[in-house]
Amino acid sequence: MEKQRYLQMDATMKNMLIMALHSVYRRKKAAGLDFQETGDLILRLDAAPDRKLFLNDREHKMLVDAVNDLRNEYLAAGRCSEYLDNGMLKLMKLKYKRCSVR
């Protein structure tokens, strides 16, 4: 058993997270950087059973950075970022739970 962050999301938050990670994925791929880990996390988010997911610290940081980048893009374009703010707050407050090692 190991401690990981437990994320329970609704359909809208799931789509927001996938959209944010997809933006990071495209940037990394265009720059020639390693994008495999980002792609794997996108697939895990999409296939999450009952919209519940356990995240290690690296995946959690990747999600927070991706949502923050998307939020910055929205603010620069003058778009409303209210749901991104709520999603970011929820990501920052994730609690640890014990789960089996994957």
Side-chain angles (χ1 to χ4, degrees), residues 12-69:
T12 310
M13 184 169 181
K14 178 179 172 181
N15 290 335
M16 177 200 55
L17 294 174
I18 290 174
M19 187 172 64
L21 284 172
H22 185 60
S23 175
V24 171
Y25 178 85
R26 284 187 310 222
R27 271 188 267 130
K28 284 185 176 182
K29 190 172 182 180
L33 300 172
D34 182 30
F35 56 87
Q36 186 64 38
E37 188 177 8
T38 308
D40 291 342
L41 185 55
I42 291 171
L43 293 176
R44 279 189 53 222
L45 268 170
D46 192 39
D50 300 327
R51 298 186 188 114
K52 297 175 184 174
L53 189 64
F54 286 96
L55 303 168
N56 62 29
D57 289 335
R58 183 161 171 80
E59 292 167 339
H60 177 257
K61 181 172 177 10
M62 190 185 314
L63 274 176
V64 169
D65 290 343
V67 171
N68 192 34
D69 289 345

